Amino acid sequence: MGTGEQARPGQPAVLVLEDGRAFAGEAFGAVGETFGEAVFSTGMTGYQETLSDPSYHRQVVVMTAPHVGNTGVNDLDYESTRIQVAGYVVRDPSRIASSWRAQRDLGGELARAGVVGISGVDTRALTRHLRERGAMRCGVSSLDADPAALLAKVLASPAMVGADLAPEVSTREPYVVAPAGGERRFRVAALDLGIKRNTPLSMAARGCEVHVLPATATADDLLALGPDGVFLSNGPGDPATADYAVAAATGVLAAGVPLFGICFGNQVLGRALGFGTYKLVYGHRGINQPVQDLTTGQIAVTCHNHGFAVAAPADGTHTDTPFGRVAVSHVALNDGVVEGIACLDVPAFSVQYHPEAAAGPHDAQSLFDRFCELMASGRKGTP
């Protein structure tokens, strides 16, 4: 947590990983001490969307792009109501904000949000370390420069495995995003597991009236809205802990209502279908991740933010589940990780990436059209 004081130029800070490796740098953002899972994001742009993505809750984000902050921050690009990251690590923060859209500078924004950061770090060396050793807990401090003392606190901090975080970032009360233009084509019930603002807006642009419900909403809560479809959002934490969301998805599948999930929602649907989940070594985070659609062979450059994945066979076969046949629909080309699943006998599908991708790319936006087509066919009584 930050002290409320903004870091001074040249103020020393230190980052310590749970395996003991330490990186010296300068305080950036708020003065203070913070702990979380150290992960790296490979996006060259869109840092404000990254900072405000609820999926990064309790994570210390390392930016691989060396120069961060040059476009400042503004009120329009936030993907939630606040900055969500536990800490922020950059190599060279920009001294000025040069965009005509900028309303404030990045360092000041982090300080106002109480987010502790560090700059001047060799982020290339840090990223290589995380790729080789895996994402791990870390601490950042501009209060105590003693790595040994900080390491003891890191080892006492909670791990990401077993962390149930979706309820911590979800909306407390239901709300509605009206369809763009005012004419409703579909009513969607969205389970907010850490939803980004551009997701309901992307559906609203297609004529959807989106009812956003808290993470712990039940299947009865979702179905009581009489939706044409149900949406499972992205979110933080270990999907193995989200039994409440899995129960909700199971109820929706049993009711035969069209269902679409992304990111954490993909893992929830996978669990509802009987698949397991597992933690990736260092995960996928950034806006430049290639994914292949196994049905069409088409490759899309996509936005990712996940440290867990669905354990399902990606060999072109299908798996028999309590809800019929299921096939892996998409895979990551960098490492073969499952990036999408499709139900063949009930109206449900999901992807592990972000089709709303507010900072881009927009290759996967058509998945919202696919969801609308599924809802339209559902009205005709076909899966």
Side-chain angles (χ1 to χ4, degrees), residues 74-309:
N74 62 72
D75 294 332
L76 296 179
D77 289 345
Y78 269 95
E79 283 298 295
S80 64
T81 58
R82 61 184 177 86
I83 294 178
Q84 300 282 349
V85 302
Y88 204 47
V89 185
V90 300
R91 179 174 176 177
D92 295 315
S94 178
R95 290 170 293 178
I96 60 172
S98 59
S99 171
W100 65 271
R101 299 178 70 239
Q103 294 172 288
R104 296 171 298 279
D105 68 278
L106 177 57
E109 193 81 343
L110 291 169
R112 281 185 287 274
V115 176
V116 176
I118 184 172
S119 67
V121 170
D122 185 345
T123 50
R124 180 175 180 177
L126 176 53
T127 298
R128 285 174 62 90
H129 190 87
L130 296 175
R131 280 179 59 92
E132 293 168 359
R133 308 289 182 89
M136 64 183 77
R137 292 172 294 174
C138 79
V140 177
S141 179
S142 45
L143 299 176
D144 186 351
D146 179 8
L150 190 59
L151 177 59
K153 297 177 184 178
V154 170
L155 296 176
S157 66
M160 189 58 67
V161 172
D164 181 17
L165 303 182
E168 295 183 12
V169 299
S170 177
T171 182
R172 296 293 184 264
E173 299 293 335
Y175 63 92
V176 179
V177 178
E183 182 178 351
R184 187 184 76 199
R185 293 177 60 213
F186 305 104
R187 176 182 288 126
V188 174
L191 190 64
D192 177 8
L193 303 168
I195 202 166
K196 293 169 65 178
R197 279 180 170 168
N198 201 45
T199 302
L201 291 178
S202 295
M203 289 186 277
R206 292 161 170 79
C208 297
E209 177 185 86
V210 185
H211 294 251
V212 183
L213 277 66
T216 53
T218 66
D220 288 343
D221 295 331
L222 295 165
L223 298 174
L225 296 170
D228 296 298
V230 170
F231 177 80
L232 307 177
S233 84
N234 62 289
D238 186 345
T241 66
D243 293 342
Y244 46 88
V246 173
T250 301
V252 172
L253 290 170
V257 174
L259 186 150
F260 174 35
I262 68 170
C263 201
F264 198 81
N266 176 67
Q267 297 157 12
V268 168
L269 176 58
R271 285 196 55 203
L273 294 168
F275 297 114
T277 56
Y278 65 99
K279 195 173 192 303
L280 297 170
V281 176
Y282 52 84
H284 301 164
R285 296 173 182 88
I287 58 176
N288 46 14
Q289 307 282 334
V291 167
Q292 184 171 35
D293 183 329
L294 296 180
T295 301
T296 65
Q298 184 176 3
I299 297 169
V301 177
T302 61
C303 173
H304 289 216
N305 178 9
H306 66 108
F308 293 84

Side-chain angles (χ1 to χ4, degrees), residues 312-382:
D315 56 3
T317 63
H318 69 261
T319 302
D320 293 320
T321 77
F323 297 100
R325 298 165 299 153
V326 176
V328 169
S329 58
H330 297 76
V331 295
L333 292 183
N334 286 334
D335 54 13
V337 168
V338 171
E339 293 291 336
I341 51 180
C343 296
L344 306 182
D345 299 313
V346 293
F349 72 102
S350 60
V351 294
Q352 186 58 65
Y353 46 96
H354 288 259
E356 85 292 341
H362 300 144
D363 295 22
Q365 273 273 334
S366 62
L367 289 168
F368 289 115
D369 298 319
R370 178 180 168 187
F371 183 38
C372 290
E373 292 167 2
L374 195 63
M375 291 189 285
S377 64
R379 285 178 174 174
K380 300 173 185 178
T382 57

